[in-house]
Each structure stands twice: as C-alpha cells, then as structure tokens.
Amino acid sequence: MDLTWEIIRWILLGIVVINELAAIFTVFREKRDIAATWAWLLVLTLIPVIGFIIYAFLGRKPTQRRLNRIKSQTRLKLREAVKQQQKQFSNMPKPRFSIAQVYRRTIMLFQSIDESFLSRHNQVDIFTNGNQLFAKMFDDIAAAQKSIHIEFYTIYNDRIGNQLRTLLEQKAAEGVEVRVLYDSWGSMGVKPSFYAKLRELGGYATPFLMTRSNIFDFRINYRDHRKIVMLDGKIGYIGGFNVGDQYLGRLPKFGPWRDTHLRVVGGAVFGMQRQFIGDWNASVKSEASRIAHYHPYFPEIKVPNGNTAMQTVASGPEGELEKIKMGYLRLINAAQDHIWIQTPYLIPDDSILDALRVAAHSGIDVRIMIPCKPDHPFVYRATQYYARALANEGVTIYTYQRGFLHAKTIVIDGRMASVGSANLDFRSFKLNFEINAFIYDRQLTDRLEQIFVDDIRSCRVMTPARFAEQSRWLQFKQYFSRLLSPIL
C-alpha cells in the first residue's frame, strides 16, 4: 500500500514538473512584455492542461511570416508628403500659444512613428446611432463610381450584413471595384460562400491575414479590429461600429447600441486608404488580387471641404511601437483642463494608468464612461477593477445605463480628440490591429464634448462609496480578472 502511494506521489510530481517546464518553454519561446509573461505563467501553472488550451486560443502569436507580410508593405503615396511636412514643422518658429505647441508636437509624433500625413481641410460628420450611420454609408456606397474598399472586424450574416452584401453585389455588377476585408474570428459563422456571388460579379472578399477557417487558426487575439470604409478615395468612415444587427440595437441582450463613428470627406481619407491597401496586399495570396497601381485611389482634392485637421494612425503587433497608445499618452499628458474618455474596456497598462493618476492629482477634470453591463465577463470584471482604482484616485467614473456603450473616444481640453477602433486596454495597445483618427479642431471637439455631456444623463456615477458597497464575491472576481488583464 505504501509503495502504491509512493508511486502515485512520484507520478504526480512528474506531471507537475513536466507542466512547469512546458509552461516555461511555451511562454518564453515568444517575445512578449513582462506583464503578459507572468500572467501566462500564472494561467499555465495554476490550470494544468486547460491552461494550455486557453493559451492556444489567446496566447499564440501569428507567425513571423504573416507579420512580415504587413511590415513589408510600403507606406504608399504619402511618404514624400510626410517628409515635406516633417521639414516644415521642424523649421517652424515656436508657436506663441501653448495649445499650438501641443498640436505641433503631437503631429510630429505621429509623423515620426507612423509616417502619418496631416490633412488640414476635412469635412467631418459624427454618428452615434447605427441606423443613421448605415443609412448614410449605404447612400455613399450606392453613389460610388470607381472603388469601394471596406475593412471591418465584424460583418455578420444577418439583416444589415445581407443589406450590405446585396448593395456591394449591385455595385460590382455596375463595374465598380469592390474589395471587402474582414476578420474571420470577428465575423464568426460567416462562410466564404457568403461572398460567392460578389466574387462572380467581379468583386473581391478575403479574410485578414489569417486562414479562412477558425478551426485551424483559432486565435482570439491578434485580430483585425479596424473599421474603415473608403469610397472613390474621397469619402471615408472610421470609428467603432461593426456591421451587424446588434450594432443597430436589434438584440435584446445589449439593448440600444451607443457607439461613435466619423464620416470624413477630404485628404484624411488618404491615410485610411493607404492602410487598407497595405492590409489588403498582405492578406491576399495571388498576385492578380493585389493592388499594384496606387494612384487611382488617391485622387487630387482641389477644393477644401472643411476646416478639420486630422491624422489617421494605425497600430498592430507587427511593430515594436504601440503607436495609438503613445498617442493616447501624448494627449493625456498634454491636458491642462480636462480629459473625457469613453471606452467599453478599461484595462490600461501602467503607463496609461499612471498618466491618468497624475492628471487627476494635478487638478485636471478626468472623467471616464464605461458600460453598465458586460459583453465579455472577465474583461468587464477587470474593467470594474480599474474603474474602482481610478475612482479612488479622484477620477469620475460613469456607467452608461441606456444600452451598451461601445464608443472609443478621448477629448482633451475641448481642442484635441481621438475617435477610432482602439479601446483603452492591453488588447488594443499590443494584440490587435487598430486604426484611430486624431483630431485638431475646436469645433468638432466641442461637438464630441456635447455628446459626452448628453450621455451623462443616461449614466450612474460610481463613487468610491458605491464601489465599496459591491459584494465581496464581486470584488474577488474583479481582483482575479485584474491578474489576467495583460492577456485579456
């Protein structure tokens, strides 16, 4: 009997040692930051076998070959214009007003890290309602004469998804160039045959960078989270909406959907167009499907459309720099009066967390609005943890009660803003492919601020006292989820 138990103990010890060695090998064979390294070691060590299954979904990076396909794409068309702008800003006399100096330094940051072109004369409309957004977008698609380029994380096979597909088929039949780039995981359940007729009519549709089947490539992270549409190279859409009935408030689970998207007419569309072409050429396999001649997609814009200056900035795991996060840091650190943020996921890394703390303790009005309900349980509990921590540091936390808040906006001092696909979390900073518009325009920023104020009417303020009233069990789930935050 004693010998039997001794054998069992040695077997269990061997399993533990093998699991620990496998965990160390699995985590350290791919380059990642220290927080994610420790988080994955925690998962693989505390949850043997199941932890490795979780890692297969969440932890594996795309192969270097795939990432190199993105990195190898030229920045196209705007590179020389950006170089000229960099010289212009470097030689410009120091502005008299501090806000102009902030503009200048922020613009130069994006020129340096992303070769992002500054477009000065754009007409921008803001949409916060999915029905209004897609009505206008579909009108613009119907009016397109030359090219329709669409890139979304999610395009579902539902009512609005089928409306979009039918419209694209009509345009392809008219001879308009139609290209659709979608994420295979975000568009889960949509088979390649969904676009069969579009392809028969001369259009193109392909999943972003990954294989066509999630059965063989089931990574949840490292996805194409961008949401952009470009029409004839003149009209662009950028923001947080995906294509699906839930984004129009048609699913009872979420109720009314609150998001923010921009319609842009002007040179800023070139930045979106450039990113789409790079993503498209990295995703298609045949040379015939690639975009070889760029000039038709960057038409000359002779007449200024508006007064909004903006840059589009893209980031992803193919590069070392977390470009959009650096932009967020730049905006937060430049604030003198107030910082108003809307995000569905509040899981900041230490640099963003410290910047928000410094701002709040410096007397700056820091407000953050998050949803009142989860769409991903662990993610929402981690969001609650950081919301509680920031509330204790003097940040005003709002929970949006009228449906689900999915907007990703930052407004600084009524003068600068960011709207796009990137959340305030590790996944958007490090793991997914994102794109944001950074805006330098007091009038447009005033409109975004008014939207924020209007949303406050549908919110509950979560004070430190209210967080303290939460149950011990809920607080435990928040603390536990926070330990996993680098990999959520």
Side-chain angles (χ1 to χ4, degrees):
M1 189 70 174
D2 291 339
L3 180 61
T4 302
W5 281 111
E6 187 69 19
I7 293 172
I8 292 173
R9 279 197 295 270
W10 277 106
I11 291 174
L12 292 175
L13 178 61
I15 292 173
V16 170
V17 171
I18 292 172
N19 186 83
E20 296 300 310
L21 291 175
I24 292 170
F25 172 77
T26 299
V27 172
F28 284 98
R29 73 191 184 95
E30 292 184 335
K31 184 178 179 181
R32 65 185 82 239
D33 65 73
I34 191 65
T37 298
W38 281 111
W40 276 120
L41 283 175
L42 179 69
V43 170
L44 297 177
T45 303
L46 296 183
I47 317 176
V49 181
I50 296 175
F52 286 91
I53 296 174
I54 296 172
Y55 181 87
F57 280 89
L58 289 172
R60 294 185 307 136
K61 291 185 175 182
T63 64
Q64 194 59 45
R65 176 178 58 84
R66 287 180 175 174
L67 293 178
N68 285 340
R69 295 214 304 259
I70 290 284
K71 292 172 71 173
S72 64
Q73 292 301 312
T74 53
R75 296 301 288 167
L76 310 173
K77 184 75 179 176
L78 303 182
R79 175 168 283 170
E80 288 304 317
V82 171
K83 288 181 179 178
Q84 291 298 320
Q85 283 190 343
Q86 284 177 315
K87 291 180 182 178
Q88 173 190 344
F89 279 94
S90 297
N91 298 329
M92 183 184 296
K94 185 175 180 179
R96 294 182 181 179
F97 304 105
S98 60
I99 192 65
Q101 179 71 356
V102 171
Y103 282 167
R104 179 190 182 202
R105 293 302 179 190
T106 305
I107 291 164
M108 291 179 70
L109 168 70
F110 294 135
Q111 288 174 335
S112 175
I113 65 175
D114 196 47
E115 294 184 342
S116 180
F117 177 78
L118 173 69
S119 176
R120 291 180 172 86
H121 300 289
N122 297 281
Q123 176 186 326
V124 182
D125 297 308
I126 305 170
F127 291 88
T128 60
N129 177 280
N131 290 286
Q132 295 172 0
L133 169 69
F134 286 106
K136 184 62 177 176
M137 184 186 294
F138 286 5
D139 284 345
D140 286 337
I141 291 173
Q145 300 295 312
K146 296 180 180 179
S147 63
I148 299 169
H149 292 168
I150 292 175
E151 181 172 354
F152 276 104
Y153 173 64
T154 298
I155 303 177
Y156 281 138
N157 182 6
D158 55 15
R159 201 188 327 170
I160 189 68
N162 277 274
Q163 285 178 303
L164 174 62
R165 182 188 61 176
T166 299
L167 180 56
L168 296 178
E169 290 169 353
Q170 292 172 359
K171 298 306 293 184
E174 294 173 11
V176 176
E177 177 194 305
V178 177
R179 297 179 189 264
V180 179
L181 192 59
Y182 61 93
D183 186 87
S184 57
W185 186 275
S187 304
M188 180 71 73
V190 178
K191 299 178 181 179
S193 58
F194 180 74
Y195 297 103
K197 185 176 179 181
L198 175 64
R199 295 190 185 97
E200 290 174 4
L201 294 168
Y204 302 86
T206 190
F208 174 81
L209 204 60
M210 310 296 181
T211 61
R212 293 181 180 272
S213 173
N214 287 312
I215 296 175
F216 299 103
D217 192 354
F218 42 81
R219 296 176 180 87
I220 297 177
N221 291 328
Y222 308 104
R223 313 307 309 193
D224 180 15
H225 200 237
R226 294 168 184 146
K227 305 144 177 53
I228 50 176
V229 174
M230 289 69 56
L231 307 169
D232 293 339
K234 296 178 180 179
I235 299 174
Y237 287 84
I238 183 171
F241 277 99
N242 285 298
V243 182
D245 286 347
Q246 74 185 60
Y247 304 100
L248 280 75
R250 293 173 178 169
L251 294 189
K253 175 183 177 181
F254 296 109
W257 193 271
R258 171 63 186 86
D259 219 322
T260 302
H261 222 91
L262 304 179
R263 177 183 185 268
V264 182
V265 181
V269 179
F270 291 175
M272 306 176 213
Q273 185 71 77
R274 179 182 66 175
Q275 190 60 50
F276 175 86
I277 293 174
D279 291 346
W280 179 268
N281 284 349
S283 298
V284 296
K285 295 181 178 180
S286 70
E287 195 68 34
S289 299
R290 291 192 173 97
I291 297 174
H293 304 288
Y294 310 134
H295 296 288
Y297 308 109
F298 300 91
E300 183 179 354
I301 298 177
K302 298 179 181 180
V303 180
N305 295 288
N307 299 311
T308 299
M310 60 192 299
Q311 291 171 287
T312 55
V313 180
S315 64
E318 81 280 8
E320 294 293 325
L321 296 177
E322 298 164 24
K323 299 171 187 176
I324 292 178
K325 188 194 84 170
M326 292 174 72
Y328 285 171
L329 277 171
R330 177 66 193 165
L331 294 187
I332 293 168
N333 291 330
Q336 297 296 311
D337 184 74
H338 60 270
I339 303 165
W340 294 357
I341 297 172
Q342 291 178 312
T343 180
Y345 314 126
L346 178 63
I347 311 177
D349 66 4
D350 287 343
S351 62
I352 294 288
L353 190 62
D354 285 342
L356 292 170
R357 285 169 169 162
V358 168
H361 285 293
S362 300
I364 293 171
D365 175 18
V366 183
R367 308 183 190 187
I368 301 178
M369 192 178 295
I370 60 175
C372 70
K373 62 178 72 174
D375 62 341
H376 304 291
F378 280 106
V379 174
Y380 189 67
R381 298 310 170 205
T383 290
Q384 288 180 313
Y385 172 87
Y386 285 104
R388 171 200 293 268
L390 287 167
N392 289 333
E393 302 277 2
V395 175
T396 304
I397 301 294
Y398 300 97
T399 55
Y400 186 76
Q401 304 291 312
R402 189 174 173 268
F404 189 78
L405 178 74
H406 193 250
K408 306 99 167 39
T409 65
I410 297 181
V411 182
I412 306 295
D413 294 345
R415 297 179 183 272
M416 294 187 295
S418 176
V419 176
S421 66
N423 301 300
L424 213 69
D425 67 353
F426 281 85
R427 182 177 294 189
S428 285
F429 296 160
K430 300 174 183 292
L431 304 178
N432 285 345
F433 298 87
E434 309 279 3
I435 188 166
N436 274 38
F438 285 83
I439 300 157
Y440 317 98
D441 176 21
R442 186 162 191 165
Q443 185 177 7
L444 186 65
T445 306
D446 281 346
R447 286 156 55 195
L448 288 168
E449 286 194 347
Q450 187 57 54
I451 290 170
F452 190 100
V453 171
D454 292 342
D455 286 338
I456 289 176
R457 300 191 186 105
S458 301
C459 289
R460 184 187 189 201
V461 179
M462 289 299 295
T463 62
R466 281 181 169 165
F467 276 114
E469 292 171 357
Q470 293 176 337
S471 69
R472 292 290 181 89
W473 173 239
L474 178 57
Q475 291 183 37
F476 169 77
K477 290 190 287 185
Q478 293 169 4
Y479 277 99
F480 180 77
S481 297
R482 177 250 180 179
L483 295 176
L484 304 178
S485 58
I487 60 177
L488 289 176

